[in-house]
Amino acid sequence: MRAILDRLYLVSGVLAATALAAIAVLVLSQTIGRLFGVLVPSANELAGYCVAASAFLGLAPTLNHGVHIRVRIVTQHLSAPVQRWLEGWCLLLGLGLSGFATWYAIDLVVGSWRYGDVSPGLLAVPLWIPQLGMAAGLSIFTLSLLDNLLRLLRGREPLYREHESQEAGR
Amino acid sequence: MSAVEMGLLLALVLFALLGTGLWVALSLLAVGLFALTAFTGAPVGLALGTSFWGSIATWSLAPLPLFVWMGEILFRSRLSEDMYGGLAPWLRRLPGRLLHVNVLGCGVFAAVSGSSAATAATIGRMSIPELRRRGYDEKMIIGTLAGSGTLGLLIPPSIILIVYGISAEVSIARLFIAGILPGLLLVGLFMAYVAAWSLVHPDRTPPADPALPFGERLRASTRLIPVLALIAAVIGSIYVGVATPTEAAALGVVGALVLAACTGGLSWASFSAGLMGAMRTSTMIVFILACAAFLTTAMGYTGVPRLLAEWIAALELSPYALLAALTVFFVVLGCFLDGISVVVLTTSVILPMVKVAGIDPIWFGIFLVIVVEMSQITPPVGFNLFVLQGLTQKNIFRIAVAALPFFFLLLAAVVIVTVFPEIATWLPQRMSG
């Protein structure tokens, strides 16, 4: 199970990074295309979809690397058992919030699919396709919060803990 | 319940959640949900789905991940060494000598990087050991780096100005150009302080290195040409209007890759590490933006920002009094929150009252960023302090004391930019397009 989950987070992260690189490729091809009078259809919309895919698919790996910002100035002065309780509270509340957001992200995809919404540009992309990236990313994020909560309940450390302890990051 | 009471209750909920350690983005989301369900009958789920998608899947956000990526590539390149080698031979005669490498190096790196922590880390990695070896005053080494590192936020490209521009709906190109002169003003203030300090304490400045022949110095400086060309291409193309910030950012990524490849700092490992690092940093910021967009929508339904703006307007404060109050508020907030969170909270709640007071939103962005720069070097939460703690292994409060003079220089800059707003507004008014 552990191996499958870690693989899932990795794939999600690699897809997010690929989407980020794709933004650069799209913008560049549009700029270069303009110089030679070649039109890259809907490059702006596609770049926007890549921003969304990159940000939402990146959520879970970013969590596990301890990069999502949180205020630790209060909690780090508390005793270890209290810290564990608070960590559980954060993960439980986060799970609820993320689960709620996931539900409505899926709702958005289903709505776009049912009503056949398409993007405004030249390429009429059915909107449910890019929105699927957001729904999938939020689902994996919800799963990773649940994963970390279960680890905590079994008396183990959350995955992001080791990165957070080297606070000197950016 | 009055608007002020609602505002206070929401602020209380937010700080309680942040205090327990809930992630900043999720705290914003929670407060937005709370505000919508407690005070309005708005359809919560629909507002959530559409504000997430509408705020994030947009071309105008594209420069953010790209500039983050450009910074990550250069952070992993050999630029740090080249910068030190190219600048140091020219600065030996100035009072304060090589301490100016920190200020100027940070100023130059800030013009290719959008982050203050990355700026301090890149320049400090090379200059701290070199300056220590020559016996420079430890407090000044740390102080100049902590202070000048914050230039990364103000001198374009700047991640935090993109965040402000997106959430305040202000032109990012104009914000970037508006940041140039105030950034140079800060460089000037920092260098003047270093010079004045070393004239007062001549015994604490080590002797100059032996002079290099002029030709040698020129040869060392040619190592700066690639990075200066990159700066000119990225900022220049935005200023003359041939490129949007997104196009300039994509150009910057290519330029950074070429620069890293030419100086022998690019391998598959460093490329993928840079890309994955950029993905994580940009995800973190964009998720905060998504949740802040939802909070802004929710606050719009409750009407709290508008009512607060009317309340402030009824007080008939002068703009100076309002700005002074906001400065104190942001500095206190910045002691506990990172700059991006301060900016998104500001635009969700405070921007309407600023607009009512008749303050130019572009100028306000620059003001806000300088105040956020101050918060980067105030304990307990100051990202530049964390970076310098990592680089020097010193106690964070000692680093904060070393950075204190630079905190006051930033405050002086806030006052100067408030008295002479043209410093920020003159250049953007001259832009084409």
Side-chain angles (χ1 to χ4, degrees):
Chain A
M1 194 62 198
R2 182 75 263 144
I4 298 173
L5 282 171
D6 286 341
R7 175 59 61 92
L8 180 67
Y9 302 145
L10 182 69
V11 169
S12 181
V14 169
L15 284 176
T18 311
L20 201 167
I23 302 169
V25 173
L26 275 166
V27 174
L28 282 173
S29 57
Q30 189 192 30
T31 314
I32 295 169
R34 203 171 47 199
L35 290 180
F36 297 99
V38 180
L39 184 73
V40 180
S42 297
N44 287 0
E45 278 86 21
L46 294 180
Y49 299 151
C50 286
V51 175
S54 172
F56 286 102
L57 287 167
L59 284 174
T62 304
L63 175 77
N64 292 334
H65 268 82
V67 179
H68 284 302
I69 290 189
R70 62 200 302 198
V71 179
R72 281 159 39 82
I73 195 76
V74 186
T75 53
Q76 69 194 7
H77 297 292
L78 302 172
S79 68
V82 179
Q83 278 197 28
R84 287 190 76 85
W85 276 101
L86 275 178
E87 200 63 56
W89 147 262
C90 287
L91 283 167
L92 192 63
L93 186 60
L95 181 63
L97 289 164
S98 171
F100 186 79
T102 306
W103 177 262
Y104 281 99
I106 295 173
D107 189 61
L108 195 71
V109 177
V110 173
S112 299
W113 181 70
R114 186 172 298 155
Y115 298 110
D117 292 342
V118 291
S119 68
L122 262 179
L123 286 182
V125 181
L127 269 183
W128 65 268
I129 299 175
Q131 285 173 347
L132 203 59
M134 174 166 94
L138 279 167
S139 308
I140 299 171
F141 183 53
T142 306
L143 186 67
S144 71
L145 285 163
L146 180 66
D147 178 19
N148 280 302
L149 181 62
L150 291 177
R151 280 179 73 91
L152 193 78
L153 291 177
R154 290 193 194 121
R156 269 179 287 174
E157 291 290 338
L159 293 164
Y160 46 80
R161 177 59 84 226
E162 60 173 310
H163 297 280
E164 277 184 343
S165 53
Q166 330 158 349
E167 188 81 304
R170 278 160 294 149
Chain B
M1 209 185 256
S2 77
V4 178
E5 284 167 346
M6 271 158 70
L8 282 177
L9 178 64
L10 293 175
L12 201 69
V13 172
L14 176 65
F15 289 121
L17 290 174
L18 288 173
T20 60
L22 184 66
W23 293 271
V24 169
L26 290 173
S27 302
L28 299 176
L29 178 60
V31 174
L33 287 175
F34 175 76
L36 274 187
T37 44
F39 302 132
T40 75
V44 178
L46 192 70
L48 181 62
T50 48
S51 59
F52 264 23
W53 180 251
S55 65
I56 299 311
T58 156
W59 187 68
S60 54
L61 254 186
L64 196 151
L66 295 183
F67 276 126
V68 171
W69 189 16
M70 175 179 165
E72 288 275 347
I73 297 165
L74 293 175
F75 176 70
R76 286 175 168 75
S77 74
R78 284 173 31 95
L79 191 58
S80 175
E81 286 92 325
D82 290 349
M83 207 83 110
Y84 179 85
L87 286 172
W90 299 96
L91 297 165
R92 46 182 292 280
R93 299 284 291 279
L94 283 178
R97 303 188 214 289
L98 294 187
L99 286 173
H100 292 289
V101 171
N102 278 349
V103 181
L104 280 177
C106 284
V108 174
F109 192 75
V112 284
S113 163
S115 136
S116 98
T119 303
T122 311
I123 299 302
R125 200 169 43 180
M126 191 68 199
S127 77
I128 289 176
E130 291 287 337
L131 294 186
R132 264 187 182 162
R133 196 162 56 79
R134 290 174 172 75
Y136 280 87
D137 187 71
E138 184 86 22
K139 224 176 127 181
M140 283 302 277
I141 300 178
I142 294 175
T144 47
L145 266 179
S148 318
T150 67
L151 290 169
L153 300 185
L154 188 58
I155 296 182
S158 154
I159 301 302
I160 204 150
L161 278 176
I162 299 177
V163 168
Y164 175 82
I166 298 278
S167 43
E169 296 178 352
V170 177
S171 152
I172 292 167
R174 277 170 201 279
L175 279 170
F176 274 10
I177 301 307
I180 294 177
L181 289 180
L184 293 176
L185 168 75
L186 275 173
V187 170
L189 282 175
F190 291 164
M191 289 183 71
Y193 173 75
V194 167
W197 179 89
S198 65
L199 290 175
V200 176
H201 303 282
D203 49 314
R204 283 155 81 182
T205 315
D209 293 354
L212 287 175
F214 189 75
E216 198 103 335
R217 270 190 267 172
L218 270 187
R219 194 156 336 122
S221 307
T222 54
R223 292 158 73 184
L224 288 177
I225 290 173
V227 66
L228 293 178
L230 191 56
I231 293 172
V234 171
I235 302 179
S237 63
I238 296 176
Y239 182 71
V240 298
V242 295
T244 61
T246 309
E247 289 162 344
L251 190 73
V253 167
V254 175
L257 284 172
V258 170
L259 195 152
C262 292
T263 54
L266 191 67
S267 60
W268 172 246
S270 74
F271 175 81
S272 61
L275 184 55
M276 292 301 273
M279 177 274 288
R280 287 191 288 265
T281 306
S282 108
T283 294
M284 179 270 287
I285 299 171
V286 175
F287 191 46
I288 292 181
L289 272 173
C291 293
F294 172 66
L295 178 63
T296 306
T297 308
M299 293 304 273
Y301 276 112
T302 64
V304 168
R306 187 173 46 80
L307 294 169
L308 277 181
E310 284 168 10
W311 179 67
I312 293 282
L315 292 179
E316 295 190 350
L317 292 171
S318 77
Y320 289 131
L322 178 64
L323 289 173
L326 286 177
T327 307
V328 174
F329 174 69
F330 290 142
V331 168
V332 173
L333 206 59
C335 285
F336 304 98
L337 278 178
D338 65 287
I340 287 165
S341 311
V342 172
V343 169
V344 296
L345 279 177
T346 304
T347 46
S348 302
V349 184
I350 293 174
L351 207 62
M353 72 173 81
V354 170
K355 283 185 178 154
V356 168
I359 296 170
D360 174 20
I362 292 207
W363 179 87
F364 186 73
I366 301 303
F367 159 83
L368 183 59
V369 167
I370 304 178
V371 179
V372 165
E373 284 188 57
M374 294 161 67
S375 76
Q376 298 283 314
I377 53 174
T378 46
V381 178
F383 280 76
N384 281 17
L385 300 181
F386 294 149
V387 169
L388 285 163
Q389 189 178 28
L391 285 172
T392 62
Q393 317 301 331
K394 291 262 191 282
N395 177 301
I396 191 148
F397 286 98
R398 283 188 57 190
I399 295 172
V401 169
L404 195 62
F406 293 86
F407 178 86
F408 287 111
L409 290 171
L410 284 163
L411 190 59
V414 169
V415 174
I416 296 172
V417 170
T418 308
V419 177
F420 303 105
E422 296 79 14
I423 298 173
T425 56
W426 186 75
L427 266 187
Q429 281 163 4
R430 251 140 213 83
M431 279 169 74
S432 42

